[in-house]
Amino acid sequence: MHRELIALDLETTGLDNYADEIIQIGIVRFREGEILETYNTFVDPGIPIPSNVTTLTGITIDDVDGAPMIDDLLDEVVGFIGDAPVVGHRINFDLGFMHRYQVIMDNPAIDTYEMASVLLPKAPRYNLSALTQQLGLQVLDNAHDALADAVAAANLYWVPCWGVVADPPPP
């Protein structure tokens, strides 16, 4: 039996893991391509959400108003993840935010972006939506939703045709 893996995705108020804040956490526990359990929550960032972030993610101040603060969620998040390897698309971005809080420091990290860039060198684009479409996985209609992106990263990790797709499909 193979080990369980965790796919993690965060939505944040910006790109700086020390100056910006987490606004959504999506986590998927999976094994051998089967999703076993999910975790999804909005996070009150304690600061306004920039309009460009709302445009990108669809997350508004109303979504996070009354949500727990990150410090109130860390034990639950760490308990869900445990010591499992953490998969994600550009996972170092997400882990950078987690490391700021001194959590998930020792879990092995697996980056689906890096995997794709090596295994699909002719892919026209390497963003999560483009890769899931190219590989015939679920259509990622709600990209930049943390849980949807975590599910997509989990599915991308287990895609059965790595190495089979030689050229991208025609436009």
Side-chain angles (χ1 to χ4, degrees):
M1 177 162 82
H2 290 105
R3 182 175 185 176
E4 290 180 2
L5 297 140
I6 295 292
L8 169 70
D9 189 76
L10 305 177
E11 299 305 328
T12 64
T13 60
L15 302 176
D16 185 329
N17 63 338
Y18 284 97
D20 293 308
E21 301 294 335
I22 298 168
I23 56 175
Q24 187 186 19
I25 302 171
I27 311 172
V28 174
R29 179 184 317 282
F30 66 105
R31 181 178 47 233
E32 297 181 21
E34 180 185 351
I35 294 174
L36 305 172
E37 189 176 3
T38 63
Y39 177 93
N40 185 37
T41 187
F42 287 114
V43 181
D44 184 340
I47 61 172
I49 299 174
S51 61
N52 64 320
V53 171
T54 294
T55 300
L56 180 66
T57 66
I59 300 171
T60 68
I61 195 68
D62 291 337
D63 293 320
V64 300
D65 188 35
M69 303 289 283
I70 188 64
D71 290 334
D72 298 326
L73 293 168
L74 289 175
D75 287 342
E76 191 173 3
V77 168
V78 169
F80 190 92
I81 293 173
D83 65 351
V86 179
V87 174
H89 206 69
R90 299 224 180 225
I91 191 62
N92 287 332
F93 173 82
D94 302 290
L95 290 177
F97 277 88
M98 293 283 97
H99 293 171
R100 169 180 168 183
Y101 298 101
Q102 302 297 305
V103 297
I104 317 171
M105 302 290 287
D106 298 321
N107 298 56
I110 302 165
D111 191 336
T112 55
Y113 178 90
E114 289 180 10
M115 286 176 59
S117 67
V118 170
L119 297 171
L120 298 172
K122 295 181 181 180
R125 298 185 66 198
Y126 292 98
N127 68 50
L128 199 50
S129 294
L131 288 169
T132 56
Q133 182 179 7
Q134 178 182 345
L135 295 173
L137 302 173
Q138 85 283 357
V139 175
L140 194 53
D141 289 331
N142 51 347
H144 301 292
D145 170 84
L147 184 58
D149 287 355
V151 168
N155 289 335
L156 185 59
Y157 178 81
W158 278 107
V159 70
C161 57
W162 282 120
V164 174
V165 178
D167 293 308

